[in-house]
Amino acid sequence: MSAVEFVKKYGWDRARSASKMHIADFSRCFDLPMSLLIDIRDDLKRLVDSWELVQIHGLENSKKIVANAPSDEHFYSWTLGNSGVKDKTVNIGELRKAIADVESVGGGV
């Protein structure tokens, strides 16, 4: 089972939990061999990180942000409420990769 298959089978919330679990807890919770998490841990964490990044604006808005950016080397920042204060900044290339990760699982943001 790959990380993508794991997310498709168990969903994003359980994937997020699994990516933070100790290997023995993972084995008990999912009734899967510990070796599976060892094999997919890095990919699962990357998928979960990508999902969390794309979830900030949603998949469609994230795609619009990427489509309107001049290049992958640029950055996108968003404002915290009506404060005028920049909350976070993301590299467009990283956001593009995150979108691809989320779409590889079938979206669901």
Side-chain angles (χ1 to χ4, degrees):
M1 174 182 292
S2 70
V4 169
E5 292 167 334
F6 185 93
V7 176
K8 285 180 179 180
K9 181 173 182 176
Y10 294 104
W12 287 110
D13 288 334
R14 293 196 70 195
R16 185 177 342 144
S17 296
S19 71
K20 297 174 184 171
M21 279 184 180
H22 185 275
I23 294 170
D25 294 333
F26 170 85
S27 183
R28 282 192 298 274
C29 287
F30 293 97
D31 195 28
L32 294 168
M34 286 187 254
S35 60
L36 176 64
L37 182 59
I38 292 168
D39 291 343
I40 68 169
R41 182 190 317 216
D42 291 341
D43 289 339
L44 189 59
K45 180 165 179 10
R46 188 194 78 249
L47 286 175
V48 169
D49 289 347
S50 292
W51 176 75
E52 289 175 346
L53 178 61
V54 172
Q55 189 178 25
I56 292 168
H57 293 290
L59 183 59
E60 293 309 313
N61 284 335
S62 294
K63 286 180 179 182
K64 288 177 187 175
I65 291 166
V66 168
N68 292 321
S71 75
D72 282 0
E73 288 77 38
H74 282 77
F75 291 85
Y76 175 77
S77 298
W78 52 94
T79 305
L80 183 59
N82 292 326
S83 66
V85 176
K86 295 293 184 185
D87 183 25
K88 300 206 181 201
T89 302
V90 65
N91 175 273
I92 295 299
E94 291 175 15
L95 183 57
R96 185 181 309 278
K97 289 176 187 170
I99 291 168
D101 281 343
V102 169
E103 288 182 328
S104 74
V105 178
V109 177

